Amino acid sequence: MSLLVLADHHDGHLDDATASVVAAARQIAEHAGGDIDLLVAGENIDSVAEAAAKLEGVTRVRVADNAVYAHQLAEPLADLLVALADDYAYVLTSASTNGKNVLPRLAALKDVSQLSEVMAIDSADTFKRPIYAGNAIATVQSEDALKVMTIRTTAFDATGEGNSATIEAVDTVVDNSLSSFVDEELAKSERPELGGAKVVVSGGRGMGSGENFKLLEGIADKLGAALGASRAAVDAGYVPNDYQVGQTGKIVAPELYIAVGISGAIQHLAGMKDSKVIVAINKDEDAPIFQVADYGLVGDLFEILPELEQKL
């Protein structure tokens, strides 16, 4: 009943999300038994493998180091997982863009069901996942011999470090003729990455314009926070897509979430309502965001934000 975790990594660094996926795998192992292997696939990834070997609960780090895996393309990663999957009863990764791209392909190729956004482990074959934009939690049972799962990492506390797992090479090199890497454009920022930030300051349609988001930047800088936005603000062109928090954006659960000029549509709440402390600033006292907020401030954000920045 061994488990395989596909690691998330970028630019030679292991993503924090992987530690949360390992935590979920450890809970499954408590019910089902078995060792936890962690697969690191890419090119020139020795530093990633060494970081992965430190995660508590990992028995073995398997390293597929080859140019065909260099850009984390879904087709070769899925074929690699297919080649390895017969040794495992579970394959897990984070419910990141990459995970949502790769694991459904594995599930289809192995003719099993995909279990998406798993947020709780009830037993070896029974899991909880959100449905209806997070308004209901479905309890699902899988009888598949291979369980293919993406994990909502905000629901699991990251496993610790201090381990020294075995590192071994995977010789499997797949032939990828279906896709090729062309180019990528990455947003560069000195602020924390939105998905892993401990503090997030988000603006909505109430900000009025992209220019007004500068009112949030000063507060974010003083708090060491990431900047986010509602879908309405993104659709209006105020900020880029990678700012979007919500059901169709990024799922976040920071220590502190400050929502400014956000009404609190159900799709947005699905992406941030697990935050530890939620602060809402809105001139509409009946805005749905106040129903989930720990602290609410009713007023004009254009007066409140400059004063808040000054106080900070």
Side-chain angles (χ1 to χ4, degrees), residues 4 6 37 39 41 60 62 64 68-69 74-88 91 102 105-107 109-110 146 148 170-175:
L4 181 65
L6 175 63
D37 287 352
L39 174 64
R60 178 176 56 165
R62 307 187 70 180
V68 73
Y69 309 123
E75 290 81 4
L77 282 184
D79 286 344
L80 173 62
L81 288 170
V82 168
L84 301 177
D86 288 345
D87 294 333
Y88 299 97
V91 177
V102 176
R105 298 169 188 269
L106 168 64
L109 291 167
K110 296 296 289 184
L146 174 67
V148 177
V170 173
D171 296 328
T172 304
V173 178
V174 302
D175 177 27

Side-chain angles (χ1 to χ4, degrees), residues 35-74:
D35 295 331
I36 299 172
D37 287 352
L38 202 154
L39 174 64
V40 179
E43 187 178 28
N44 300 323
I45 48 176
D46 289 346
S47 60
V48 179
E50 290 169 3
K54 295 178 182 178
L55 295 178
E56 294 288 352
V58 175
T59 304
R60 178 176 56 165
V61 176
R62 307 187 70 180
V63 182
D65 193 334
N66 190 277
V68 73
Y69 309 123
H71 299 288
Q72 304 285 293
L73 299 180

Side-chain angles (χ1 to χ4, degrees), residues 144-162:
D144 289 325
L146 174 67
K147 295 171 180 54
V148 177
M149 307 163 63
T150 59
I151 302 298
R152 177 169 286 195
T153 54
T154 56
F156 296 89
D157 292 333
T159 194
E161 296 184 353

